[in-house]
Amino acid sequence: MTRKTAIIIGNGKLQRDLSEVVDNAEFAMRFNEPKASIGLSGSRTDILMLAASSKPMQRRLTDPAFLTSPTFTAAKEVVLAYHPDIIRKYHPKPNLLSRLKGRRSDWTMRTIELVGAAGKEIRIMPPQFYIEGCEELGVSQCRMHQLFPSTGFFGIRYVLSRLPADEWDVKLCGFSWEGWKRHAWLDERRWVEDKVASGRISMLI
């Protein structure tokens, strides 16, 4: 039986135009506010995974252009990677001055309001999903206040848990494992390399 194709598109630069490949796939996932791949990765977006705990999320929620962006408009489902309990327990908290300026660590409810009002189905991953992901990466309990796995990692893990290997060919593109210094980039890259070595996923270049 021919396997179906799932493509997970990171927020890094693409080396070539993959629009046709992505749009012809049976499934595509993107993250937050992809910019580097615009014009090179088609429009198909079955799932858009968001981090509702970040300062960039605050900016997106106050920018009307985000809700009318091609990626958000195309998304069939929105998934929040971090449960409010996880944000409360582990994620960094803004200092007093930032709080006075309106900064919060958790934008879950506001995200639900706006995404729901836009007619999108929304899902929040349970706390155990985050904890098990940290364990799988090797991020110990004592490091969970310093290192925070990225939405990219959780997106890949989520897709692998939903799409059986005998039915789906899962491909990655646009992943550079660079960015916010508190993400576990080395651990995440090693985890992906292990999945590639085992044949569970492949890199689309």
Side-chain angles (χ1 to χ4, degrees), residues 63-186:
D63 180 6
F66 174 68
L67 297 179
T68 59
S69 66
T71 299
F72 184 85
T73 301
K76 297 175 183 175
E77 180 183 357
V78 173
V79 174
L80 303 186
Y82 309 131
H83 190 279
D85 287 351
I86 292 297
I87 297 172
R88 188 180 308 113
K89 186 172 182 179
Y90 296 111
H91 284 215
K93 306 296 186 291
N95 59 35
L96 177 60
L97 181 59
S98 294
R99 292 199 299 272
L100 291 174
K101 293 180 179 179
R103 175 86 190 280
R104 301 201 300 265
S105 58
D106 185 358
W107 293 96
T108 302
M109 293 310 299
R110 185 58 179 155
T111 302
I112 290 172
E113 290 171 5
L114 291 180
V115 170
K120 301 292 183 183
E121 181 178 343
I122 188 165
R123 180 190 306 268
I124 304 175
M125 297 309 298
Q128 194 61 29
F129 178 77
Y130 184 90
I131 294 169
E132 290 172 354
C134 287
E135 292 174 351
E136 198 166 327
L137 272 186
V139 177
S140 61
Q141 181 76 24
C142 64
R143 293 200 299 159
M144 286 174 66
H145 293 277
Q146 289 84 40
L147 283 178
F148 312 96
S150 69
T151 51
F153 163 73
F154 283 116
I156 298 169
R157 189 172 182 272
Y158 180 62
V159 168
L160 294 182
S161 71
R162 285 187 48 176
L163 306 183
D166 60 340
E167 298 177 19
W168 289 87
D169 179 15
V170 179
K171 299 178 180 294
L172 308 186
C173 63
F175 282 84
S176 61
W177 295 282
E178 298 174 328
W180 189 40
K181 63 182 180 181
R182 292 205 183 193
H183 282 326
W185 295 124
L186 291 177

